[in-house]
């Protein structure tokens, strides 16, 4: 009986950890997507909007294959300030069951930067 009790405790701990990881995953992905978008915005200060979009798609195609090049908005003003962003939906799901739908907006704005030599 004691070993069965230990197995149940371990199983409950594993399920709990899985639930925590599933809850944190959408926010973790949003954080890292923000880094990719910021990199594209920095790139965009020295390049055209078309080149920036191509750069961004190349950066995200393996980690976020669900996003297409048209999902992102890119704006550049006359002072070379670039804003790159996306609005998307994600969900907290545990064992394939969606518990909560989440709407995210990730937007980064970068002013022109000097080249680093």
């Amino acid at each position: 009986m004691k070993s069965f009790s230990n197995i149940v405790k371990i199983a409950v701990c594993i399920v709990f950890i899985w639930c925590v990881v599933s809850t944190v995953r959408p926010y973790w992905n949003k954080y890292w997507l923000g880094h990719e978008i910021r990199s594209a915005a920095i790139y965009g200060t020295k390049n055209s909007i078309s080149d920036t979009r191509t750069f961004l798609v190349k950066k995200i195609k393996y980690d976020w294959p669900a996003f297409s090049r048209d999902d992102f908005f890119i704006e550049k003003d006359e002072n070379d300030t670039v804003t790159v962003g996306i609005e998307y939906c994600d969900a907290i799901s545990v064992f394939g069951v969606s518990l909560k739908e989440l709407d995210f907006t990730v937007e980064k704005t970068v002013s022109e930067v000097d080249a680093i030599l």
Side-chain angles (χ1 to χ4, degrees):
M1 272 301 163
K2 192 172 188 177
S3 65
F4 179 73
S5 174
N6 287 339
I7 291 173
V8 169
K9 287 179 185 177
I10 291 171
V12 168
C13 286
I14 290 171
V15 168
F16 177 75
I17 291 170
W18 186 263
C19 290
V20 169
V21 168
S22 296
T23 301
V24 171
R25 183 197 54 79
Y27 300 99
W28 181 256
N29 288 343
K30 178 186 174 196
Y31 174 79
W32 286 109
L33 182 59
H35 276 281
E36 301 293 350
I37 288 175
R38 185 173 185 279
S39 295
I42 291 170
Y43 180 85
T45 62
K46 300 290 185 189
N47 296 283
S48 69
I49 291 176
S50 176
D51 290 343
T52 303
R53 189 175 303 280
T54 302
F55 174 80
L56 180 58
V57 169
K58 285 180 184 178
K59 285 189 72 66
I60 65 151
K61 73 180 181 181
Y62 295 111
D63 293 330
W64 289 279
F67 296 146
S68 71
R69 70 184 294 117
D70 296 328
D71 292 334
F72 295 92
F73 61 88
I74 302 173
E75 299 169 353
K76 186 173 183 177
D77 68 11
E78 63 278 351
N79 297 324
D80 291 329
T81 298
V82 178
T83 301
V84 180
I86 186 171
E87 293 179 3
Y88 69 99
C89 295
D90 205 344
I92 296 174
S93 58
V94 179
F95 301 115
V97 177
S98 181
L99 301 176
K100 180 164 176 74
E101 293 286 325
L102 302 167
D103 294 323
F104 289 118
T105 301
V106 181
E107 184 177 301
K108 301 293 180 180
T109 301
V110 176
S111 298
E112 185 176 15
V113 295
D114 293 330
I116 299 173
L117 301 176

